[in-house]
Amino acid sequence: MDGRSFNYLQARELRGHRGLQRPHFHNLATGFAELGAMAVQHAGHDTPPLALSFAKTGTHSHLLAVSDEDGFVSLLDTRIHFPHSASHHQNAEKGRISEWVAHNNSIFDVCWIKEDTQILTGSGDQTIKLWDAQKKKCLGEFTGHTGSVKSLSSHPFNPDLLVSGSRDGSFAQWDLRCKPDSQTGRGEVHSFSPAMVNRAHTKPKPKHMKRNKVSSSMSITSVLYLRDGTSVATAGSVDSVVKFWDVRNLKAQLNEISPHIDSIPCEEKRMYGVCSLSQDSSGMFLSASCMDSRVYLYSLLQLGKGPVKSFSGCLTGSFFVKSSISPDGEHILSGSSDGKAYVWQVGGPHSDPLILNSHQEEVTAVGWCEAEVGKMATASDDFTVRIWDIEGGGWRTMRPLSSVRRRVVAASPDDEQARTNCISSSSSTGLKMHGVNTLNSNSVTTPRPTKRSYATSLDLRDISEETSAADDMESPSSVLNPPSSLKRKTICDYFVMA
């Protein structure tokens, strides 16, 4: 067998029969080009968009759901041709697929589920509604919060589960399969939350406060179902603390993280709220956008060490300004109160962001397309939604995320020792290990298939190898496959409580 044939077989076994790798755009992105802008208006009346979300499947990845201050949900086609001579309103007429009044109040978050056939909306009317995206029909209404619903997040694998956060300081877990509490004559199902945590984030008690007095609750600004499927992250409006919870036992939080401020003098310390949370598709990184105009990046394998990196340059003047990490973990996109959007390269040699200058007012909601590499959307108080892509890149459809999902698991001491021995032996022969088995060139047997590892530019191997045993215990991602030497019953056992 010649070398060419052997290399083909090796690629086929390691990457699938087509020999294709999941695309990344960090080597391609010299800049982002604006594809077009669409106005958000209804019956000739402009309204500011508040939230947006790309459809998740490859078939419908061009669909963008936009919610606004007037309670509308609009479905936009982002693959239309945007003529340079056309106005934003003309683009909107051309790109709008459908729209409907979902609530009689502002809609602060929108989320696709069930293979992009249904949409969830969270509103200032204190309810969550489930919609048939094609028929524009309400399938259910969920009540229980006593404040505006500010954030929604669906389970990464089970579309019937979701978590919501509210201005009343509570977050709730919902199961769409639960028997409804009541049903209206229009067929709408009304359900109450099966599990709710009140006062999840509270203001610290002043020193002079009496012990029996309860500290005031603060708004939940963002909730996030983590990729392990059993953990939820929540953030609030007063401090920069991100808390982690086990959805199977919500009696107490598991752990919490926040930026290190120990070096700042006490008189200069301030408490900054968190605007939004996001996670990459591998579950390795968690980003938190704070009111100190910084975006903090955490490694879920090193939660105890604080943020591994922070990004500055944007201006976060309100909690409507959001940020989001790209699905491949290579870039972070953020809105800004100065009318611009900012894009940072996570592992880049320079900290300066790429600035997108098309909006005229505060840029609020932002989002990445999971199925088309490098495509993203920004929303602004200038009543427009703008679509961006890698400059000159067009659309590059990725394989479905479900086919490339990689679960992040904290390694056991035995695994670490085996890997150390393997690396040591390979170093003596001049071979490099990059998450793929090293093959002997004299061997003509078909190599054993291995799991592909998609590391970002920020060296994840260094992070993994530097993680201590205590940090491994703090990782929510380790609970699905615990080390064989440890027998744990719940996720609580994987956290070292302060």
Side-chain angles (χ1 to χ4, degrees):
M1 180 180 294
D2 60 18
R4 183 181 304 175
S5 300
F6 179 78
N7 291 336
Y8 168 75
L9 287 176
Q10 177 182 344
R12 186 181 68 179
E13 290 298 318
L14 295 180
R15 307 182 184 121
H17 69 281
R18 290 182 295 176
L20 297 178
Q21 293 182 344
R22 179 182 174 185
H24 292 267
F25 61 91
H26 65 280
N27 292 328
L28 303 176
T30 57
F32 287 87
E34 181 182 341
L35 300 180
M38 289 178 275
V40 181
Q41 63 170 359
H42 311 288
H45 171 66
D46 292 334
T47 183
L50 296 179
L52 54 81
S53 176
F54 277 101
K56 299 177 181 179
T57 62
T59 305
H60 305 108
S61 61
H62 61 289
L63 298 180
L64 180 68
V66 179
S67 63
D68 57 53
E69 196 173 78
D70 289 345
F72 279 80
V73 171
S74 303
L75 301 186
L76 306 179
D77 184 355
T78 62
R79 286 186 178 176
I80 66 170
H81 174 66
F82 297 92
H84 293 291
S85 58
S87 67
H88 302 159
H89 296 85
Q90 291 173 332
N91 288 338
E93 290 296 327
K94 183 179 179 181
R96 187 184 301 112
I97 297 174
S98 63
E99 66 176 27
W100 66 94
V101 179
H103 296 264
N104 293 321
N105 207 317
S106 300
I107 301 177
F108 295 108
D109 207 358
V110 60
C111 178
W112 293 88
I113 61 171
K114 301 290 184 73
E115 298 294 321
D116 301 329
T117 61
Q118 297 177 4
I119 291 177
L120 290 163
T121 55
S123 172
D125 64 8
Q126 306 176 8
T127 68
I128 302 167
K129 288 187 178 182
L130 176 66
W131 297 90
D132 185 307
Q134 184 174 4
K135 298 179 180 179
K136 299 181 289 186
K137 178 183 178 181
C138 183
L139 304 177
E141 180 176 309
F142 304 89
T143 59
H145 287 300
T146 58
S148 300
V149 180
K150 307 293 289 186
S151 179
L152 299 172
S153 181
S154 62
H155 192 279
F157 318 126
N158 187 343
D160 288 312
L161 300 177
L162 70 138
V163 63
S164 61
S166 171
R167 190 176 180 180
D168 62 12
S170 70
F171 75 91
Q173 182 189 11
W174 309 83
D175 190 334
L176 304 183
R177 300 164 298 186
C178 288
K179 185 178 179 180
D181 298 287
S182 62
Q183 188 168 356
T184 66
R186 295 174 295 177
E188 297 179 359
V189 173
H190 288 251
S191 297
F192 292 92
S193 170
M196 180 175 290
V197 176
N198 295 308
R199 296 189 296 275
H201 290 255
T202 56
K203 296 179 182 179
K205 294 182 180 180
K207 294 181 179 180
H208 61 275
M209 181 179 290
K210 296 180 180 180
R211 292 184 178 181
N212 59 352
K213 186 175 181 180
V214 179
S215 57
S216 59
S217 178
M218 67 182 187
S219 171
I220 300 294
T221 55
S222 186
V223 293
L224 183 66
Y225 238 126
L226 299 185
R227 294 287 176 175
D228 65 0
T230 60
S231 308
V232 167
T234 63
S237 61
V238 170
D239 58 28
S240 57
V241 173
V242 179
K243 294 185 178 183
F244 296 92
W245 311 78
D246 179 9
V247 296
R248 300 166 297 182
N249 181 15
L250 294 173
K251 294 182 180 180
Q253 70 184 65
L254 301 174
N255 201 358
E256 63 182 43
I257 56 175
S258 63
H260 291 314
I261 56 175
D262 296 335
S263 59
I264 302 177
C266 295
E267 62 273 10
E268 297 181 11
K269 289 183 179 180
R270 294 182 57 189
M271 304 178 68
Y272 296 99
V274 177
C275 303
S276 61
L277 302 173
S278 67
Q279 191 177 26
D280 66 316
S281 60
S282 71
M284 177 69 75
F285 288 131
L286 174 75
S287 69
S289 177
C290 294
M291 287 294 290
D292 62 354
S293 296
R294 287 181 175 270
V295 180
Y296 296 94
L297 185 68
Y298 297 90
S299 167
L300 288 181
L301 298 181
Q302 291 182 326
L303 289 179
K305 295 184 178 181
V308 296
K309 203 167 185 180
S310 65
F311 305 88
S312 61
C314 63
L315 177 62
T316 309
S318 75
F319 284 100
F320 292 103
V321 176
K322 310 296 183 181
S323 69
S324 178
I325 189 170
S326 61
D328 63 1
E330 293 288 350
H331 291 75
I332 290 179
L333 169 65
S334 176
S336 180
S337 299
D338 59 9
K340 303 172 184 177
Y342 293 78
V343 183
W344 295 272
Q345 190 172 356
V346 170
H350 305 291
S351 58
D352 294 337
L354 179 67
I355 302 176
L356 310 179
N357 283 303
S358 296
H359 287 290
Q360 304 300 318
E361 299 291 339
E362 183 176 74
V363 180
T364 52
V366 298
W368 296 90
C369 181
E370 293 188 7
E372 296 178 15
V373 181
K375 190 174 184 179
M376 58 189 186
T378 57
S380 171
D381 286 349
D382 62 7
F383 312 120
T384 65
V385 171
R386 297 177 186 267
I387 312 302
W388 309 80
D389 196 11
I390 302 171
E391 193 165 15
W395 296 298
R396 285 161 298 281
T397 303
M398 297 196 307
R399 296 172 64 182
L401 290 178
S402 59
S403 67
V404 298
R405 184 181 295 115
R406 180 170 62 92
R407 183 175 296 159
V408 181
V409 180
S412 67
D414 295 338
D415 294 336
E416 288 291 336
Q417 183 62 38
R419 182 173 62 178
T420 302
N421 295 336
C422 184
I423 293 177
S424 300
S425 61
S426 63
S427 299
S428 62
T429 60
L431 301 178
K432 295 182 179 180
M433 300 295 292
H434 291 286
V436 180
N437 289 345
T438 304
L439 301 175
N440 189 335
S441 59
N442 296 326
S443 174
V444 295
T445 58
T446 303
R448 295 177 61 188
T450 60
K451 288 186 178 180
R452 290 180 293 172
S453 176
Y454 304 105
T456 63
S457 298
L458 186 60
D459 199 337
L460 304 187
R461 293 186 298 276
D462 292 343
I463 290 178
S464 179
E465 292 171 2
E466 292 175 0
T467 303
S468 64
D471 292 330
D472 289 343
M473 293 300 180
E474 293 181 355
S475 171
S477 306
S478 66
V479 297
L480 295 184
N481 289 315
S484 57
S485 60
L486 300 176
K487 294 182 179 180
R488 307 294 188 182
K489 295 182 179 180
T490 68
I491 192 173
C492 300
D493 297 311
Y494 283 82
F495 288 86
V496 178
M497 300 301 293

